[in-house]
Amino acid sequence: MMGAFLCIVEVIAVRARLRKARAIAAHRIDDGKSAARFTEAKQ
Amino acid sequence: MNSFKYASPAQFYPLAGKLVSVFAVLATVLLIIGLIVGLYLAPIDVTQKDSYRIIYVHVPAAWMSMFLYVVMAFWYAIALGANTRLSAMMAQSIAPTGALMTALALWTGSFWGKPTWGTYWEWDARMTSELVLLFLYLGVIALRSAIDDPRRADKACGVLAIVGVVNVPIIYMSVQWWNTLHQGATISVGERTIDSMMLTGLLMMIFAFWFYSIAITLMRVRAIILEREAGANWISELSEVKGQR
């Protein structure tokens, strides 16, 4: 039972990490575009 | 076909995604059948009666704890030698699962030890070296967290992992080299000391644990690739990333 519990926790944790990584990657791309627009505006 | 193209995180990411499903399904099927064979179909042990059945979790976990450490050390060696990012990411991905398998082996071993030896723990060679293995895994994970720069962390963790690999043959050979409380090998080449139905169940569980470890490692390495390669152009083209913008 402990083994099943630990494995389920691990799967949940890894899936959450993957979702978070995708969200950060999407946000960072938007951040990159914002930074580019800011640099362009300054010039 | 150039297999080395999969050394690129951009090429490996979609491949890993496809392989996760395959290994997850295989692991689930083998786990269900293995548990049915081990818990219901396999006969009781002459001396230990039904308490031996924890072998179907303890032995696969212990084997995977050692096997995963060797694989982790292998990928770190490739990363140090060839300076490849993906190899280090694979090694980084293996560590938590290896630690889980080691903890599970120690935990189940303790519960097996109480009815068999009359004690939950004994400082004999095998148990102590398995505990050292857990500390090595936790040390690699902690060292990774302590260093901000991923490439420096790869190098430091790689050195620790490779130095620690000497512990694995010590664990494996401990029951032969020293007079230990822990019993000898359950499965050995040539000589059969175990009932065939027990062996079938045990082999199924070993493969179930192996395929589970592969699936979860591939899932984790996909997250690590996204974290470490976040600024790359290929990531912006991923449908799962586009959908979140």
Side-chain angles (χ1 to χ4, degrees):
Chain A
M1 293 304 294
M2 175 60 79
F5 172 74
L6 288 174
C7 289
I8 289 168
V9 168
E10 187 182 30
V11 171
I12 291 170
V14 172
R15 285 170 67 94
R17 185 176 181 177
L18 192 50
R19 269 199 306 275
K20 184 182 172 186
R22 283 181 187 140
I24 289 172
H27 184 67
R28 187 170 296 186
I29 289 156
D30 281 345
D31 273 353
K33 284 182 179 168
S34 301
R37 280 198 293 273
F38 177 73
T39 309
E40 234 179 290
K42 273 186 77 177
Q43 287 169 354
Chain B
M1 188 178 80
N2 180 15
S3 301
F4 284 106
K5 73 175 184 178
Y6 292 115
S8 157
Q11 298 293 331
F12 186 74
Y13 184 87
L15 174 66
K18 291 175 194 158
L19 291 175
V20 166
S21 315
V22 171
F23 283 107
V25 167
L26 284 172
T28 307
V29 168
L30 282 169
L31 183 72
I32 292 168
I33 299 174
L35 284 174
I36 291 170
V37 170
L39 299 181
Y40 294 108
L41 299 180
I44 62 169
D45 185 69
V46 170
T47 49
Q48 298 182 34
K49 307 293 179 222
D50 277 316
S51 68
Y52 90 95
R53 293 188 195 275
I54 203 159
I55 198 177
Y56 298 106
V57 176
H58 173 73
V59 170
W63 277 31
M64 288 317 302
S65 72
M66 291 185 278
F67 181 66
L68 286 173
Y69 194 92
V70 172
V71 174
M72 181 179 73
F74 168 78
W75 284 123
Y76 269 129
I78 298 287
L80 286 176
N83 203 28
T84 47
R85 297 192 314 281
L86 186 60
S87 310
M89 292 178 199
M90 279 298 297
Q92 181 184 350
S93 175
I94 289 170
T97 304
L100 184 147
M101 291 294 168
T102 313
L104 191 58
L106 289 167
W107 180 264
T108 52
S110 291
F111 279 104
W112 196 3
K114 184 62 179 170
T116 313
W117 307 321
T119 179
Y120 286 111
W121 181 262
E122 188 66 41
W123 290 100
D124 85 339
R126 176 155 279 189
M127 281 180 268
T128 305
S129 50
E130 184 75 3
L131 184 64
V132 167
L133 188 70
L134 178 62
F135 292 155
L136 282 166
Y137 272 121
L138 295 177
V140 168
I141 293 167
L143 190 59
R144 162 76 50 186
S145 303
I147 300 173
D148 288 332
D149 178 31
R151 298 298 276 158
R152 280 188 59 222
D154 291 342
K155 289 183 169 56
C157 293
V159 170
L160 176 58
I162 290 166
V163 166
V165 84
V166 71
N167 188 45
V168 174
I170 291 175
I171 297 170
Y172 192 74
M173 299 301 292
S174 58
V175 292
Q176 293 181 32
W177 289 345
W178 294 289
N179 184 22
T180 66
L181 189 61
H182 197 284
Q183 67 192 58
T186 309
I187 301 173
S188 50
V189 177
E191 185 191 340
R192 207 180 78 179
T193 60
I194 186 172
D195 177 80
S196 57
M197 188 61 80
M198 289 182 190
L199 180 63
T200 304
L202 190 55
L203 287 173
M204 283 189 161
M205 289 299 287
I206 286 168
F207 278 104
F209 273 58
W210 192 6
F211 292 154
Y212 164 81
S213 301
I214 293 173
I216 202 77
T217 299
L218 289 174
M219 207 189 298
R220 190 181 286 112
V221 83
R222 280 163 55 85
I224 291 169
I225 288 171
L226 287 179
E227 288 165 6
R228 290 177 60 161
E229 304 282 306
N233 289 334
W234 67 270
I235 288 184
S236 66
E237 300 303 318
L238 290 173
S239 56
E240 62 218 55
V241 170
K242 276 183 182 174
Q244 298 223 16
R245 275 193 257 153

